[in-house]
Amino acid sequence: MRRLGAVIVDPADIPHAGDFDDAEFEVLLYEFKANLNAYLAEWAPGAGVRTLADVIAFKREGPRPRDDVLPQDTMEKAQKKGPLTDKAYLKALKRCRELSRAKGLDA
C-alpha cells in the first residue's frame, strides 16, 4: 500500500473505539431483520421462507439446530425488533455515527 502512495498509520489510536459496541449490536439487530425480510420477500416471493421469523422456525424445526450462519438467539433478538423508525434504533444509530465518525475517525 505504501508503494501505491498510502500513508500507513500504525498504531491507529481511534478515540472511543469499543465505546459503542452495545449501540452497534442494536443497529445490527434492527437492520438485519429489516434487510433480510426485504431481501427474502423480493428474492423468492413464492418460497416458504420469506421472513426472519420463517428462517428461525426453519432452523428450529430442522433435523438439528444449526448455528452455522448466525446463532439462533441472535436471530430471535433481531426478530423482536421493530421497524427502522423505532426510537431505540434511531438513538443507537446516532450514537454509532457520532462515536465512529465525528468523535472517532474524524477526530
Side-chain angles (χ1 to χ4, degrees), residues 36 39-41 43-59:
L36 184 67
Y39 172 77
L40 290 174
W43 173 70
V49 176
R50 297 186 55 207
T51 66
L52 175 57
D54 295 339
V55 173
I56 292 168
F58 175 80
K59 285 182 65 173

Side-chain angles (χ1 to χ4, degrees), residues 64-85:
R64 63 179 177 82
R66 298 188 60 200
D67 282 341
D68 54 345
V69 177
L70 193 65
Q72 187 80 7
D73 66 322
T74 301
M75 287 190 186
E76 290 172 2
K77 287 176 185 175
Q79 178 58 30
K80 292 177 183 176
K81 299 301 178 185
L84 298 182
T85 54

Side-chain angles (χ1 to χ4, degrees), residues 2 7-13:
R2 276 191 182 99
V7 175
I8 307 298
V9 179
D10 186 20
D13 296 321

Side-chain angles (χ1 to χ4, degrees), residues 15-46:
H16 301 288
D19 289 351
F20 53 97
D21 292 348
D22 291 341
E24 188 175 36
F25 188 62
E26 186 81 354
V27 168
L28 176 138
L29 294 174
Y30 273 95
E31 292 182 356
F32 178 75
K33 177 184 178 183
N35 292 318
L36 184 67
N37 285 345
Y39 172 77
L40 290 174
E42 181 180 325
W43 173 70

